Amino acid sequence: MASKDKSEKRRGISVNIKQKHMLMAAVACCGPVQLVNHAWAQEAPAASGARQQVDVEGTTEIIITGVNSRLSPSIDTFPGSVTVIGSEELATQLAISTDVAAMLATKVPGFATQSFSSSDFGQTMRGRGLSYYVDGMPISNPLRDGGRSLRSVATSAIGGVEVIRGASALYGNGGNGGAVNYITKRASNEKGFSGRTMISVSGSFDNLADSLSPFIQQDIELSGGGFDLLLTGSAEFVGSFFDAQGDRIASDPTGNGGITDSDIYTMYAKGGYTNGDHRVEASYMFYEQTQNTAWGGLILGVPQDDIKTRPALGQVDPRVVDQYSRNRIGQISYIFSNFFGGTARAQAYHIKNSSLFGFNARRAGGTQSLIESRKAGARLDFNNRLDDLGIDGSLLWGAEYIRDKSVQTVNTDPARVFVPEIDQKNYAGYGQIELRPIQPLTLNGGVRYDKFDISVADFTVLDSSPEFNAQGGKLSFESVVVNAGASFQLDRALTVFTSYSEGFSLPDIGLAIRGTRVVDPLVALRPEPVVVKSYEIGVRGQLDFLNYSFAAFRSTSRLGQGFAPDPANPLLSVVVRAPERVWGLEGTVDGKLFDDRLSWGGTFTLVRGKRQQNIDSDPELEWVPLPNDRIPPVKVSGYLEYEITPDFPVRLQAVYSGRRDVFPRDQADALDTCCTTAGGTIPVAQRQIWEGSASNFARVKPFVTMDLLASHPIGGGKFSVAITNLLDKFYFPTANQFTRHISRAQRFVPAPGRAFRIAYTFEY
């Protein structure tokens, strides 16, 4: 440590912890719809993306009434792959863990298992990238993706989550595999004043003192005279994590940011005024996570021998400063709910986020990098029923503009530019129509046009010895993507659907150029949008005791977007632009038994994917598997919840992640080349490193985790107890098994062992 004072401020030592404790355009048409719980309908007014249930000829239909969702008006008949997590299920999952990644891994087919870090590393959907939104506003950073979007929102502000599974034509850049849209709460108009307080504490059974993590959340709602205001905030002081062997877990398990020994503060305010059909609304969200650990050193393990990496007291370098993630989202909108029988909305927003990453001893003499992104956007959209034209259907259409500036610097004195400022202007227009020509048949179709103007500043390449100056330049892209689909509802028990959808994304330009070996990297890179074509067919239905959905999907892209070791330096990455194929199966089931006292359900996901290579010597090796950070193992999740009494539910849930071992290790010498990249071809010598798991090609071993939750009203509030990793299994998260190469040993970090969370919530 740099000094005694600095050491005393860092957490992870029991005395210091104790002192502190005392203080988601409609979706592109694809796949099955899973409504995680129908209680959303009753609790919808608390969230901006409201839903209600209505009976249509004896069939329960989910109708979307909110303006912050881009889903079809009726998702029961929509041929789209969507998981909707309602407020009741959201509260249940957050009572188990405040990590939204854990909730999504449990409830969403195709969503990879959690990494117990602040990073999105390895988090894909259907073998392709995800994009993240808050009320439809993009919070991902495609120009220089630091991989910290998933956890960059205030969970206290979330009223529901919509997850699009599959390529989406109308959300724009990014998310070729899917999109996560956090729907925020708004104050209800039922009371003039109401409040909600939640306090909890969590920790490890192996080391209570150093793992103790207190949490507090306060919500206040005010309404009257057409005005409404919601204020919510939370503070969480996360202690250290301990594995099932009782050892402390490294603070940065993926090398991209950790959660342990962190202070997390959130704040959210949303206020509005409603006058008849008119509403004006404004909101502001703040999220900050700062990691302040005394255990920043590392004792590297040996991944090939299953020897874990462990933390050491102190820091890897005395110059290390605390990693952090900060996100600020502000917006103002106007809604007119009687615009030619539909809704019109105008919105302007500003998003600013910054992330400071870990120490790199090789870069610029030893530095940490900081990614900063600023977005300013405006959109105008309309959602109209077509009844006045004698058509049973609806039309969603609109336009949007987004300006995104991103830059990455290193914390030298003065700071130096690592990735130059990238300034992107995006102009877009879109439309989506839903028609019901006859009662059982629903047709959907849509189109989106995007134009991108990108400016990249000149910069100095720091990842080079010697350093040299590289040229920036200007880029311009246009893209038109479409979607179409149909569903045929034979009866309540069976709906058959099929769909075609397109999505697109631009490569992470900043990552690709920062380690360039040429003076004009934009010319060498030749970036083009990755257009994904997605096909799907499936069935779903409602029986007396269960709801189900099953789908098969396939997606292709002429230009894939992946990374492989640079031929000149295998420790750096270059973009691989090769054709890709991804296919798989998904299923969901939810049911009730014993007079609805027993609820049960689960999800299933199987994904496979390959990339084309230029191999003339052996045609059988022309298509090779995509790496682990793209294709996860088989995943199965399930739950059982039994109501001992109506107020005393007990839930047991589990997640199984399977084995993935698809990369040949005895054929590397027979290959002439591996991949064609912007930097050339990777010869046999480098391929052996590649197959030797330097870039996410290791064997991934299976594991099972189980969680237990029980709750009961006590003293006017609700008391809950949760136990995660109930069986205290020792395992490595999927993301930490991607590579076993010695150069990535710092990522070979196990998952937390058995832990508890005790919470008490009361409303007034």
Side-chain angles (χ1 to χ4, degrees), residues 276-586:
D277 297 329
H278 305 271
R279 176 174 174 81
V280 177
E281 183 178 272
S283 65
Y284 179 79
M285 179 186 293
F286 173 80
Y287 172 91
E288 180 180 80
Q289 178 223 342
T290 303
Q291 190 175 46
N292 183 5
T293 181
W295 295 84
L298 286 176
I299 302 173
L300 294 178
V302 183
Q304 296 91 332
D305 297 331
D306 286 334
I307 299 175
K308 66 188 178 185
T309 290
R310 295 184 292 123
L313 193 62
Q315 299 297 322
V316 295
D317 190 279
R319 295 168 291 176
V320 169
V321 297
D322 297 334
Q323 296 189 54
Y324 64 79
S325 296
R326 296 180 187 138
N327 202 18
R328 287 138 287 185
I329 306 171
Q331 69 87 28
I332 184 169
S333 56
Y334 164 74
I335 302 108
F336 181 31
S337 59
N338 191 20
F339 180 78
F340 293 101
T343 301
R345 178 178 63 164
Q347 182 187 53
Y349 59 86
H350 185 269
I351 302 172
K352 182 178 181 181
N353 57 54
S354 53
S355 297
L356 182 66
F357 295 86
F359 187 80
N360 187 320
R362 298 187 304 271
R363 181 179 300 134
T367 58
Q368 294 172 256
S369 72
L370 172 68
I371 295 179
E372 297 178 286
S373 172
R374 291 172 292 159
K375 298 182 182 71
R379 61 180 177 178
L380 180 65
D381 53 45
F382 307 89
N383 199 336
N384 299 102
R385 291 289 305 171
L386 303 178
D387 300 342
D388 292 342
L389 301 177
I391 300 173
D392 185 0
S394 62
L395 175 65
L396 171 67
W397 56 286
E400 61 184 329
Y401 167 79
I402 305 173
R403 185 170 188 180
D404 187 352
K405 292 183 177 182
S406 295
V407 65
Q408 186 173 11
T409 58
V410 293
N411 61 344
T412 53
D413 188 15
R416 299 185 65 188
V417 172
F418 182 29
V419 174
E421 182 177 82
I422 305 173
D423 187 350
Q424 173 183 281
K425 299 176 182 178
N426 178 197
Y427 312 86
Y430 53 85
Q432 182 81 13
I433 192 168
E434 178 177 291
L435 302 173
R436 189 174 292 185
I438 56 176
Q439 186 61 37
L441 178 65
T442 302
L443 303 175
N444 290 72
V447 62
R448 178 180 175 111
Y449 167 79
D450 277 90
K451 186 179 188 308
F452 296 91
D453 293 325
I454 301 175
S455 176
V456 181
D458 297 340
F459 66 107
T460 300
V461 180
L462 301 185
D463 272 348
S464 175
S465 181
E467 299 175 357
F468 67 94
N469 294 327
Q471 298 174 3
K474 296 184 181 296
L475 301 169
S476 183
F477 306 99
E478 289 183 296
S479 179
V480 178
V481 289
V482 300
N483 68 78
S487 67
F488 194 87
Q489 190 170 25
L490 299 174
D491 55 33
R492 179 174 177 268
L494 179 62
T495 298
V496 181
F497 59 86
T498 186
S499 63
Y500 168 78
S501 177
E502 296 176 349
F504 74 94
S505 62
L506 298 177
D508 186 336
I509 296 174
L511 178 61
I513 68 174
R514 72 181 188 183
T516 182
R517 295 293 179 264
V518 297
V519 176
D520 50 355
L522 294 181
V523 175
L525 180 63
R526 304 185 307 278
E528 295 181 50
V530 177
V531 177
V532 173
K533 299 179 180 180
S534 179
Y535 311 83
E536 189 158 358
I537 187 169
V539 296
R540 61 172 175 266
Q542 302 176 32
L543 304 178
D544 291 337
F545 60 94
L546 65 84
N547 299 336
Y548 70 90
S549 67
F550 298 98
F553 62 86
R554 176 184 173 89
S555 66
T556 63
S557 55
R558 181 180 62 86
L559 291 174
Q561 180 177 329
F563 294 90
D566 186 342
N569 185 349
L571 296 180
L572 298 178
S573 296
V574 291
V575 178
V576 178
R577 310 306 305 272
E580 295 178 350
R581 300 171 183 169
V582 179
W583 63 97
L585 301 171
E586 289 178 349

Side-chain angles (χ1 to χ4, degrees), residues 97 124 194 205 218-219 253 310 359 385 414 461 505 570 606 650 717:
S97 171
T124 61
S194 63
F205 285 92
Q218 178 65 56
D219 301 347
R310 295 184 292 123
F359 187 80
R385 291 289 305 171
V461 180
S505 62
L606 170 67
V650 177

Side-chain angles (χ1 to χ4, degrees), residues 11 17 20-23 199-203 211-216 235-239 262 264 757:
R11 298 195 298 111
I17 290 181
K20 192 156 227 174
H21 290 178
M22 301 300 292
L23 272 176
I199 55 175
S200 74
V201 63
S202 58
S211 67
L212 211 58
S213 304
F215 171 90
I216 184 169
E236 182 175 14
F237 307 106
V238 185
S262 289
I264 303 174
R757 187 171 190 230

